[in-house]
Amino acid sequence: MPAAPPARPARLLLGGLLALTTALTGQLATASPGVADPVRAAAPDGPLTAAFDTAADRYDVPRDLLVALGYAETRLDMHAGEPSAAGGYGLMHLVRNPRLRTLDEAAARTRLDPAVLRTDPAANVLGAAAVLRGYADQAGLTATDRDDAGRWYGPVARYGGASDPSVARLYADAVYDLLRTGFSSERGAAVAGQAIVPQRGPLERAAGPADVRTLSTDYPPAAWAPASTSNYTVASRPTSHPIRYVVIHMTQGSYAGSISWFQNPAAKVSAHYTFRSSDGAVTQSVREKDIGWHAGNWTYNTQSIGIEHEGYVDNPAWFTDAMYRASAALTRSLTAKYGIPRDRAHIIGHVEVPGATHTDPGPNWNWTYYLQLVNGVTGIGSGTVDTSSANLNVRSGPGASYPVVGTVADGATVSIYCQAAGSTVTGPYGTTNVWNRIGTNRYVSDAYVYTGQSGYIPGVPRC
């Protein structure tokens, strides 16, 4: 099989990496708080883009595929060098755990110190490209093959480290879905949507679409991907133990990666359900009758259902309305089934479990919104934008002091998932402090939106 290209001496690589790192860790300018400020797009030739270009060129890996993999794993966030729940580091999630060693593989292939690979963004991208190229060589991809992103499906699935073929496909499909739809990262790297046919090989026969996957017998919307029997305790709840709580977690990792981690016998951790950020898809890993190892407190483990949510506590971009609403539907079902009160004394965060050492779901989790959804306030409003200019600015929070994160056109129809009190604004529909959330961390003032209501819309949750 063809060998990977020879690595440059580490000292030469580090010079370029240090220059890229300085740029990558620089401070970003923030938008002016004015209501009509223009929006500036992320520069296409920024330092993160340069890091991906350099790594893709050096190891002959499709650049957009590399970016999509990092975006699927972490939204291109380094997380200050802290590991994920599965022991993954950096924006490319180079892993060191008892079963998967992509961090060590990257160190061997690049001749860079693991500490550099964990903490330096450009090195982290380079390491991932080196690992992927190694997997491509072992799969027999020729130089011509490597030009076709669809032929990298096997190496991408292997990078995810799943032992279960259905989970391996779930991981790789997430990357290829991003290539198909395209995306733009707030960290400066973007990928345009493109027509790529993933060549799944043996994984074509693994469960993929929802209609052919094994479904949960406890909760019909959920797929079933069982955790290792080393990671939970068989029981006969609620006969053996009462179920009194629902515990909310963040995965500190990706959806497929977390499900795969629960299947790793070395993990010694599991949750009953895991939700995907992008669309609210859910997978069950432990039967409700059994005791998941999720709370870090045996009494609470025996008396609770653990629900994981894809993402990281410090990045609110993962907290989508699709995930909130799908998760709340499950919690509403669980509370009805087991007689759990729908309040904050019984629907709790991991951080609230006695003796907890974790902080999830963290300050970005919107308990007000979630509990209203659980209690059946699930309406979605609609409104028409009316502004004197061509576009209305969209803010990251309910107030004119929050950064501008986009625009909506005058006359556009918007969906309103929840409403919040914020700064007071005067517009075509009067003076109000009501702000409408029209997407994940995307708010517009109600003063510029005709909803047919004065202020709050009946049946739509508060944020």
Side-chain angles (χ1 to χ4, degrees):
M1 296 179 185
R8 297 173 185 166
R11 63 180 180 274
L12 295 180
L13 278 173
L14 283 171
L17 290 172
L18 287 172
L20 275 174
T21 301
T22 299
L24 283 164
T25 55
Q27 296 295 313
L28 296 176
T30 57
S32 165
V35 173
D37 296 337
V39 178
R40 294 180 180 271
D45 58 350
L48 189 55
T49 294
F52 279 110
D53 290 345
T54 298
D57 180 67
R58 175 168 172 71
Y59 288 102
D60 196 19
V61 178
R63 179 263 183 192
D64 287 355
L65 179 75
L66 198 60
V67 181
L69 189 151
Y71 191 81
E73 283 281 14
T74 68
R75 298 295 189 268
L76 306 181
D77 192 336
M78 284 296 292
H79 300 293
E82 294 297 317
S84 71
Y89 293 88
L91 60 100
M92 301 303 294
H93 202 248
L94 292 172
V95 177
R96 177 184 280 169
N97 68 40
R99 199 192 58 170
L100 190 61
R101 296 276 180 172
T102 50
L103 176 64
D104 297 327
E105 291 181 63
R109 292 180 180 279
T110 62
R111 300 182 189 176
L112 293 173
D113 188 281
V116 175
L117 290 163
R118 289 196 303 265
T119 59
D120 182 310
N124 194 261
V125 173
L126 197 74
V131 171
L132 279 173
R133 173 59 190 276
Y135 292 168
D137 288 343
Q138 291 165 21
L141 268 64
T142 66
T144 300
D145 294 336
R146 294 195 297 272
D147 290 337
D148 180 357
R151 297 187 68 90
W152 286 79
Y153 190 93
V156 168
R158 182 177 172 185
Y159 186 94
S163 57
D164 183 323
S166 66
V167 179
R169 175 168 171 172
L170 188 68
Y171 178 91
D173 279 353
V175 175
Y176 279 82
D177 283 346
L178 286 168
L179 282 175
R180 176 178 54 82
T181 61
F183 59 91
S184 179
S185 167
E186 63 183 13
R187 302 180 190 281
V191 168
Q194 50 207 276
I196 293 176
V197 179
Q199 299 186 32
R200 297 187 176 92
L203 290 178
E204 190 68 56
R205 296 187 296 274
D211 58 349
V212 299
R213 298 188 68 190
T214 302
L215 299 179
S216 160
T217 57
D218 288 331
Y219 186 63
W224 172 245
S228 167
T229 54
S230 299
N231 295 334
Y232 67 92
T233 300
V234 175
S236 55
R237 303 187 309 167
T239 302
S240 61
H241 306 82
I243 298 178
R244 297 190 172 107
Y245 305 98
V246 173
V247 181
I248 303 299
H249 302 264
M250 292 301 294
T251 58
Q252 296 297 101
S254 71
Y255 176 65
S258 298
I259 296 165
S260 176
W261 182 233
F262 297 154
Q263 295 182 328
N264 185 336
K268 305 305 177 188
V269 66
S270 64
H272 294 87
Y273 294 95
T274 303
F275 280 89
R276 185 161 60 194
S277 170
S278 61
D279 58 3
V282 57
T283 292
Q284 183 178 13
S285 297
V286 178
R287 289 290 307 278
E288 292 171 13
K289 74 177 187 66
D290 295 329
I291 301 168
W293 298 352
H294 61 94
N297 176 309
W298 179 246
T299 299
Y300 275 73
N301 277 343
T302 64
Q303 297 182 11
S304 65
I305 301 291
I307 303 178
E308 290 279 2
H309 299 82
E310 182 184 29
Y312 291 79
V313 296
D314 60 351
N315 188 344
W318 295 91
F319 295 66
T320 63
D321 288 290
M323 185 167 70
Y324 273 124
R325 287 173 175 267
S327 173
L330 169 62
T331 296
R332 188 164 60 251
S333 173
L334 293 171
T335 54
K337 186 186 300 186
Y338 298 110
I340 302 170
R342 293 172 177 167
D343 58 34
R344 286 287 285 114
H346 298 86
I347 303 170
I348 63 174
H350 191 178
V351 66
E352 296 166 296
V353 174
T357 58
H358 290 236
T359 62
D360 55 316
N364 292 307
W365 182 261
N366 192 326
W367 282 109
T368 299
Y369 181 42
Y370 190 70
L371 263 293
Q372 287 179 87
L373 293 171
V374 170
N375 280 283
V377 184
T378 59
I380 298 176
S382 179
T384 303
V385 173
D386 184 356
T387 176
S388 58
S389 60
N391 296 292
L392 175 67
N393 281 339
V394 179
R395 303 277 173 175
S396 65
S401 63
Y402 285 89
V404 176
V405 292
T407 62
V408 288
D410 182 42
T413 299
V414 293
S415 295
I416 300 169
Y417 297 98
C418 61
Q419 296 179 292
S423 63
T424 299
V425 173
T426 298
Y429 299 109
T431 298
T432 181
N433 70 339
V434 175
W435 286 72
N436 303 321
R437 190 165 85 193
I438 62 172
T440 304
N441 305 312
R442 293 172 60 84
Y443 290 80
V444 293
S445 170
D446 195 58
Y448 289 90
V449 181
Y450 177 74
T451 65
Q453 301 290 331
S454 178
Y456 293 107
I457 305 170
V460 171
R462 302 286 183 93
C463 297

